[in-house]
Amino acid sequence: MRWLHAEWTKLRTLPSTWWLLAATVVLTVAVGAAAASSLTTEVCPTPQACHEDTVKLSLSGVWLGQATCLVLGALSMGAEYGTGTVRTTLMAMPVRWRVLTAKAAALSLLTAATAAVAIPLSLWTASLILPLHGPTLRATAGSILILTLVALLGLGLATLLRDTAAGITSGLGLLYVVPLLADILASPTWQHRLQRWTPMPAALSVQATRNLDRLPIAPWPGLGVLAAYAAGLLMAGGVVFRLRDA
C-alpha cells in the first residue's frame, strides 16, 4: 500500500491529470449524444422500427475519449523521465517492477472510476434523444475496460520508449492510423485481418448488441486483443525499465 500511495500521490498531483479525466467524460458524452442525434428518419422511422445498434452508437464517444486516456497513461511515466524525477523515485523505491506495478494499479483505478462515470452518463444522455434497444451491461462494462486498457497501453509505451511524446504518437498511430488501413486496402482478406487483430476495431466489438454473427471477432475475444496489446507493451516496458539506467 505504501508503493500504491506514492504513485497515487504523483498521479493526482500531475497538473494535467484532472483536465484529461474531465475531457474524457466530456468527449465521451458529447460525441455519443451527437451520434445519437445524427440518426435520420430513413434509418429510424420510429424508435421501435430502428435498425441501428443504438447502444453501440451511443457509445461512439469512446472512440475519441480513449485518446485522453492514452495521453494520461503516457504522462504517468513520461513526465518522470522528462523532469528527471524518475531517479528520485528509484532511489526511494529501488525495486523497479513494484514501481511499475503500483503505477499501473493507480492509473487503472483512476481511469476506471472516470470511465464508470462517463459511460453510463453517455448512455443516459443518448437515451434522452433516442430510446436504446438491446442489452447494455456488456457494452457498458466493456467500454469501461477499453478506456482503462488504453491508459495502460499508454503507460506501457511511455515506459518502453522513455518519452511522453513518443509514447503518445505511437499510441495514437496504433489506435487510429492502423485501423484506417482497413478502409484503404482493397483486399477483403486484409481488411478482415486488420479489423480482427488491431486493438481498437477488435475491442470496440464488445459494444455491439445486434448482428453479433457479422462481427469480425466476437465481443469478449475482441476486448482480449486490446488486453493482450496492453499487457505485452507493459511487459516489454517493464523489461526495459529494469535493464536500462534511469
Side-chain angles (χ1 to χ4, degrees), residues 81 86-87 90 94 96 157-163 236-246:
Y81 276 113
V86 66
R87 299 184 184 91
L90 295 178
R96 298 191 179 201
L157 283 169
T159 306
L160 179 64
L161 301 174
R162 307 206 300 178
D163 182 76
V239 171
V240 171
F241 187 49
R242 183 175 181 181
L243 295 179
R244 289 183 183 172
D245 292 334

PDB file of all heavy atoms in Angstrom, residues 81 86-87 90 94 96 157-163 236-246:
ATOM      1  N   TYR A  81      10.296  10.830 -16.640  1.00  0.00           N
ATOM      2  CA  TYR A  81      11.503  10.835 -17.467  1.00  0.00           C
ATOM      3  C   TYR A  81      11.826  12.248 -17.950  1.00  0.00           C
ATOM      4  O   TYR A  81      12.986  12.647 -18.036  1.00  0.00           O
ATOM      5  CB  TYR A  81      11.331   9.902 -18.661  1.00  0.00           C
ATOM      6  CG  TYR A  81      11.630   8.458 -18.348  1.00  0.00           C
ATOM      7  CD1 TYR A  81      10.628   7.498 -18.360  1.00  0.00           C
ATOM      8  CD2 TYR A  81      12.929   8.040 -18.051  1.00  0.00           C
ATOM      9  CE1 TYR A  81      10.897   6.164 -18.064  1.00  0.00           C
ATOM     10  CE2 TYR A  81      13.205   6.712 -17.756  1.00  0.00           C
ATOM     11  CZ  TYR A  81      12.192   5.780 -17.770  1.00  0.00           C
ATOM     12  OH  TYR A  81      12.472   4.469 -17.473  1.00  0.00           O
ATOM     13  N   VAL A  86      12.334  10.493 -12.132  1.00  0.00           N
ATOM     14  CA  VAL A  86      12.360   9.031 -12.078  1.00  0.00           C
ATOM     15  C   VAL A  86      13.548   8.543 -11.242  1.00  0.00           C
ATOM     16  O   VAL A  86      13.477   7.494 -10.586  1.00  0.00           O
ATOM     17  CB  VAL A  86      12.393   8.440 -13.505  1.00  0.00           C
ATOM     18  CG1 VAL A  86      13.691   8.774 -14.219  1.00  0.00           C
ATOM     19  CG2 VAL A  86      12.184   6.924 -13.466  1.00  0.00           C
ATOM     20  N   ARG A  87      14.638   9.303 -11.238  1.00  0.00           N
ATOM     21  CA  ARG A  87      15.802   8.928 -10.429  1.00  0.00           C
ATOM     22  C   ARG A  87      15.464   8.993  -8.943  1.00  0.00           C
ATOM     23  O   ARG A  87      15.867   8.127  -8.154  1.00  0.00           O
ATOM     24  CB  ARG A  87      16.978   9.834 -10.752  1.00  0.00           C
ATOM     25  CG  ARG A  87      17.449   9.765 -12.204  1.00  0.00           C
ATOM     26  CD  ARG A  87      18.683  10.623 -12.435  1.00  0.00           C
ATOM     27  NE  ARG A  87      19.073  10.625 -13.832  1.00  0.00           N
ATOM     28  CZ  ARG A  87      18.644  11.504 -14.722  1.00  0.00           C
ATOM     29  NH1 ARG A  87      17.817  12.469 -14.344  1.00  0.00           N
ATOM     30  NH2 ARG A  87      19.043  11.443 -15.980  1.00  0.00           N
ATOM     31  N   LEU A  90      13.316   5.995  -8.023  1.00  0.00           N
ATOM     32  CA  LEU A  90      14.050   4.742  -7.906  1.00  0.00           C
ATOM     33  C   LEU A  90      14.991   4.737  -6.705  1.00  0.00           C
ATOM     34  O   LEU A  90      15.349   3.667  -6.197  1.00  0.00           O
ATOM     35  CB  LEU A  90      14.832   4.474  -9.190  1.00  0.00           C
ATOM     36  CG  LEU A  90      13.951   4.236 -10.430  1.00  0.00           C
ATOM     37  CD1 LEU A  90      14.800   4.037 -11.672  1.00  0.00           C
ATOM     38  CD2 LEU A  90      13.035   3.050 -10.219  1.00  0.00           C
ATOM     39  N   PRO A  94      13.588   1.240  -4.895  1.00  0.00           N
ATOM     40  CA  PRO A  94      14.529   0.666  -5.857  1.00  0.00           C
ATOM     41  C   PRO A  94      14.044  -0.589  -6.588  1.00  0.00           C
ATOM     42  O   PRO A  94      14.647  -0.972  -7.587  1.00  0.00           O
ATOM     43  CB  PRO A  94      15.762   0.346  -4.994  1.00  0.00           C
ATOM     44  CG  PRO A  94      15.229   0.184  -3.615  1.00  0.00           C
ATOM     45  CD  PRO A  94      14.070   1.105  -3.503  1.00  0.00           C
ATOM     46  N   ARG A  96      12.161  -2.061  -9.130  1.00  0.00           N
ATOM     47  CA  ARG A  96      11.512  -1.399 -10.265  1.00  0.00           C
ATOM     48  C   ARG A  96      10.184  -2.026 -10.667  1.00  0.00           C
ATOM     49  O   ARG A  96       9.257  -1.319 -11.078  1.00  0.00           O
ATOM     50  CB  ARG A  96      12.477  -1.369 -11.461  1.00  0.00           C
ATOM     51  CG  ARG A  96      13.744  -0.581 -11.154  1.00  0.00           C
ATOM     52  CD  ARG A  96      14.565  -0.320 -12.397  1.00  0.00           C
ATOM     53  NE  ARG A  96      15.760   0.461 -12.060  1.00  0.00           N
ATOM     54  CZ  ARG A  96      16.453   1.179 -12.939  1.00  0.00           C
ATOM     55  NH1 ARG A  96      16.109   1.189 -14.203  1.00  0.00           N
ATOM     56  NH2 ARG A  96      17.508   1.863 -12.544  1.00  0.00           N
ATOM     57  N   LEU A 157       3.772   2.036 -23.433  1.00  0.00           N
ATOM     58  CA  LEU A 157       4.551   2.669 -24.500  1.00  0.00           C
ATOM     59  C   LEU A 157       5.523   3.706 -23.952  1.00  0.00           C
ATOM     60  O   LEU A 157       6.684   3.778 -24.389  1.00  0.00           O
ATOM     61  CB  LEU A 157       3.602   3.321 -25.508  1.00  0.00           C
ATOM     62  CG  LEU A 157       2.907   2.378 -26.499  1.00  0.00           C
ATOM     63  CD1 LEU A 157       1.810   3.109 -27.256  1.00  0.00           C
ATOM     64  CD2 LEU A 157       3.917   1.780 -27.476  1.00  0.00           C
ATOM     65  N   ALA A 158       5.072   4.533 -23.013  1.00  0.00           N
ATOM     66  CA  ALA A 158       5.952   5.561 -22.445  1.00  0.00           C
ATOM     67  C   ALA A 158       7.101   4.926 -21.665  1.00  0.00           C
ATOM     68  O   ALA A 158       8.226   5.439 -21.679  1.00  0.00           O
ATOM     69  CB  ALA A 158       5.158   6.495 -21.544  1.00  0.00           C
ATOM     70  N   THR A 159       6.825   3.806 -20.984  1.00  0.00           N
ATOM     71  CA  THR A 159       7.887   3.111 -20.247  1.00  0.00           C
ATOM     72  C   THR A 159       8.884   2.484 -21.213  1.00  0.00           C
ATOM     73  O   THR A 159      10.093   2.519 -20.980  1.00  0.00           O
ATOM     74  CB  THR A 159       7.277   2.023 -19.345  1.00  0.00           C
ATOM     75  OG1 THR A 159       6.275   2.603 -18.507  1.00  0.00           O
ATOM     76  CG2 THR A 159       8.338   1.384 -18.477  1.00  0.00           C
ATOM     77  N   LEU A 160       8.379   1.930 -22.289  1.00  0.00           N
ATOM     78  CA  LEU A 160       9.242   1.292 -23.283  1.00  0.00           C
ATOM     79  C   LEU A 160      10.103   2.306 -24.017  1.00  0.00           C
ATOM     80  O   LEU A 160      11.310   2.098 -24.221  1.00  0.00           O
ATOM     81  CB  LEU A 160       8.376   0.510 -24.279  1.00  0.00           C
ATOM     82  CG  LEU A 160       9.084  -0.211 -25.421  1.00  0.00           C
ATOM     83  CD1 LEU A 160      10.001  -1.306 -24.889  1.00  0.00           C
ATOM     84  CD2 LEU A 160       8.064  -0.800 -26.384  1.00  0.00           C
ATOM     85  N   LEU A 161       9.499   3.438 -24.409  1.00  0.00           N
ATOM     86  CA  LEU A 161      10.202   4.441 -25.217  1.00  0.00           C
ATOM     87  C   LEU A 161      10.857   5.523 -24.357  1.00  0.00           C
ATOM     88  O   LEU A 161      11.651   6.317 -24.881  1.00  0.00           O
ATOM     89  CB  LEU A 161       9.219   5.086 -26.203  1.00  0.00           C
ATOM     90  CG  LEU A 161       8.542   4.104 -27.174  1.00  0.00           C
ATOM     91  CD1 LEU A 161       7.484   4.815 -27.997  1.00  0.00           C
ATOM     92  CD2 LEU A 161       9.572   3.437 -28.078  1.00  0.00           C
ATOM     93  N   ARG A 162      10.489   5.607 -23.078  1.00  0.00           N
ATOM     94  CA  ARG A 162      11.059   6.559 -22.123  1.00  0.00           C
ATOM     95  C   ARG A 162      10.877   8.009 -22.569  1.00  0.00           C
ATOM     96  O   ARG A 162      11.726   8.851 -22.346  1.00  0.00           O
ATOM     97  CB  ARG A 162      12.541   6.259 -21.885  1.00  0.00           C
ATOM     98  CG  ARG A 162      12.802   4.818 -21.488  1.00  0.00           C
ATOM     99  CD  ARG A 162      14.058   4.652 -20.678  1.00  0.00           C
ATOM    100  NE  ARG A 162      15.253   5.088 -21.392  1.00  0.00           N
ATOM    101  CZ  ARG A 162      16.481   5.069 -20.850  1.00  0.00           C
ATOM    102  NH1 ARG A 162      16.644   4.657 -19.620  1.00  0.00           N
ATOM    103  NH2 ARG A 162      17.528   5.456 -21.541  1.00  0.00           N
ATOM    104  N   ASP A 163       9.741   8.272 -23.193  1.00  0.00           N
ATOM    105  CA  ASP A 163       9.469   9.625 -23.684  1.00  0.00           C
ATOM    106  C   ASP A 163       7.961   9.794 -23.850  1.00  0.00           C
ATOM    107  O   ASP A 163       7.303   8.929 -24.451  1.00  0.00           O
ATOM    108  CB  ASP A 163      10.177   9.859 -25.017  1.00  0.00           C
ATOM    109  CG  ASP A 163       9.967  11.263 -25.535  1.00  0.00           C
ATOM    110  OD1 ASP A 163      10.591  12.197 -25.016  1.00  0.00           O
ATOM    111  OD2 ASP A 163       9.158  11.425 -26.475  1.00  0.00           O
ATOM    112  N   ALA A 236       6.988  -5.516 -22.012  1.00  0.00           N
ATOM    113  CA  ALA A 236       8.184  -5.051 -22.720  1.00  0.00           C
ATOM    114  C   ALA A 236       8.750  -3.804 -22.052  1.00  0.00           C
ATOM    115  O   ALA A 236       9.972  -3.666 -21.880  1.00  0.00           O
ATOM    116  CB  ALA A 236       7.841  -4.760 -24.181  1.00  0.00           C
ATOM    117  N   GLY A 237       7.861  -2.886 -21.655  1.00  0.00           N
ATOM    118  CA  GLY A 237       8.317  -1.695 -20.951  1.00  0.00           C
ATOM    119  C   GLY A 237       8.950  -2.033 -19.617  1.00  0.00           C
ATOM    120  O   GLY A 237       9.950  -1.419 -19.221  1.00  0.00           O
ATOM    121  N   GLY A 238       8.387  -3.036 -18.921  1.00  0.00           N
ATOM    122  CA  GLY A 238       8.955  -3.448 -17.649  1.00  0.00           C
ATOM    123  C   GLY A 238      10.353  -4.017 -17.797  1.00  0.00           C
ATOM    124  O   GLY A 238      11.227  -3.763 -16.953  1.00  0.00           O
ATOM    125  N   VAL A 239      10.584  -4.785 -18.864  1.00  0.00           N
ATOM    126  CA  VAL A 239      11.920  -5.336 -19.110  1.00  0.00           C
ATOM    127  C   VAL A 239      12.916  -4.213 -19.360  1.00  0.00           C
ATOM    128  O   VAL A 239      14.021  -4.195 -18.799  1.00  0.00           O
ATOM    129  CB  VAL A 239      11.880  -6.315 -20.296  1.00  0.00           C
ATOM    130  CG1 VAL A 239      13.301  -6.721 -20.706  1.00  0.00           C
ATOM    131  CG2 VAL A 239      11.060  -7.550 -19.951  1.00  0.00           C
ATOM    132  N   VAL A 240      12.528  -3.253 -20.210  1.00  0.00           N
ATOM    133  CA  VAL A 240      13.415  -2.121 -20.499  1.00  0.00           C
ATOM    134  C   VAL A 240      13.642  -1.284 -19.240  1.00  0.00           C
ATOM    135  O   VAL A 240      14.765  -0.847 -18.960  1.00  0.00           O
ATOM    136  CB  VAL A 240      12.804  -1.252 -21.624  1.00  0.00           C
ATOM    137  CG1 VAL A 240      13.580   0.047 -21.796  1.00  0.00           C
ATOM    138  CG2 VAL A 240      12.791  -2.022 -22.938  1.00  0.00           C
ATOM    139  N   PHE A 241      12.582  -1.073 -18.468  1.00  0.00           N
ATOM    140  CA  PHE A 241      12.671  -0.284 -17.233  1.00  0.00           C
ATOM    141  C   PHE A 241      13.650  -0.926 -16.249  1.00  0.00           C
ATOM    142  O   PHE A 241      14.384  -0.239 -15.538  1.00  0.00           O
ATOM    143  CB  PHE A 241      11.278  -0.181 -16.622  1.00  0.00           C
ATOM    144  CG  PHE A 241      11.184   0.743 -15.449  1.00  0.00           C
ATOM    145  CD1 PHE A 241      11.711   2.030 -15.488  1.00  0.00           C
ATOM    146  CD2 PHE A 241      10.514   0.351 -14.290  1.00  0.00           C
ATOM    147  CE1 PHE A 241      11.593   2.893 -14.410  1.00  0.00           C
ATOM    148  CE2 PHE A 241      10.404   1.188 -13.206  1.00  0.00           C
ATOM    149  CZ  PHE A 241      10.937   2.469 -13.262  1.00  0.00           C
ATOM    150  N   ARG A 242      13.671  -2.253 -16.238  1.00  0.00           N
ATOM    151  CA  ARG A 242      14.547  -2.951 -15.292  1.00  0.00           C
ATOM    152  C   ARG A 242      15.993  -2.985 -15.758  1.00  0.00           C
ATOM    153  O   ARG A 242      16.915  -2.916 -14.940  1.00  0.00           O
ATOM    154  CB  ARG A 242      14.020  -4.369 -15.108  1.00  0.00           C
ATOM    155  CG  ARG A 242      14.803  -5.166 -14.081  1.00  0.00           C
ATOM    156  CD  ARG A 242      14.177  -6.525 -13.848  1.00  0.00           C
ATOM    157  NE  ARG A 242      14.905  -7.296 -12.854  1.00  0.00           N
ATOM    158  CZ  ARG A 242      14.573  -8.517 -12.476  1.00  0.00           C
ATOM    159  NH1 ARG A 242      13.494  -9.091 -12.988  1.00  0.00           N
ATOM    160  NH2 ARG A 242      15.286  -9.156 -11.569  1.00  0.00           N
ATOM    161  N   LEU A 243      16.202  -3.062 -17.077  1.00  0.00           N
ATOM    162  CA  LEU A 243      17.561  -3.269 -17.588  1.00  0.00           C
ATOM    163  C   LEU A 243      18.304  -1.954 -17.834  1.00  0.00           C
ATOM    164  O   LEU A 243      19.534  -1.923 -17.727  1.00  0.00           O
ATOM    165  CB  LEU A 243      17.511  -4.066 -18.892  1.00  0.00           C
ATOM    166  CG  LEU A 243      16.994  -5.511 -18.765  1.00  0.00           C
ATOM    167  CD1 LEU A 243      16.964  -6.184 -20.136  1.00  0.00           C
ATOM    168  CD2 LEU A 243      17.845  -6.322 -17.783  1.00  0.00           C
ATOM    169  N   ARG A 244      17.601  -0.903 -18.183  1.00  0.00           N
ATOM    170  CA  ARG A 244      18.276   0.348 -18.515  1.00  0.00           C
ATOM    171  C   ARG A 244      18.455   1.238 -17.292  1.00  0.00           C
ATOM    172  O   ARG A 244      17.660   1.182 -16.352  1.00  0.00           O
ATOM    173  CB  ARG A 244      17.471   1.135 -19.565  1.00  0.00           C
ATOM    174  CG  ARG A 244      17.485   0.534 -20.947  1.00  0.00           C
ATOM    175  CD  ARG A 244      16.725   1.445 -21.883  1.00  0.00           C
ATOM    176  NE  ARG A 244      16.644   0.894 -23.242  1.00  0.00           N
ATOM    177  CZ  ARG A 244      15.899   1.441 -24.211  1.00  0.00           C
ATOM    178  NH1 ARG A 244      15.210   2.540 -23.953  1.00  0.00           N
ATOM    179  NH2 ARG A 244      15.872   0.895 -25.396  1.00  0.00           N
ATOM    180  N   ASP A 245      19.460   2.085 -17.353  1.00  0.00           N
ATOM    181  CA  ASP A 245      19.640   3.085 -16.316  1.00  0.00           C
ATOM    182  C   ASP A 245      18.573   4.162 -16.464  1.00  0.00           C
ATOM    183  O   ASP A 245      18.111   4.457 -17.575  1.00  0.00           O
ATOM    184  CB  ASP A 245      21.015   3.725 -16.408  1.00  0.00           C
ATOM    185  CG  ASP A 245      22.145   2.746 -16.067  1.00  0.00           C
ATOM    186  OD1 ASP A 245      21.863   1.783 -15.314  1.00  0.00           O
ATOM    187  OD2 ASP A 245      23.267   2.933 -16.567  1.00  0.00           O
ATOM    188  N   ALA A 246      18.216   4.762 -15.337  1.00  0.00           N
ATOM    189  CA  ALA A 246      17.213   5.841 -15.377  1.00  0.00           C
ATOM    190  C   ALA A 246      17.781   7.071 -16.041  1.00  0.00           C
ATOM    191  O   ALA A 246      17.062   7.865 -16.602  1.00  0.00           O
ATOM    192  CB  ALA A 246      16.759   6.171 -13.959  1.00  0.00           C
TER     193      ALA A 246
END
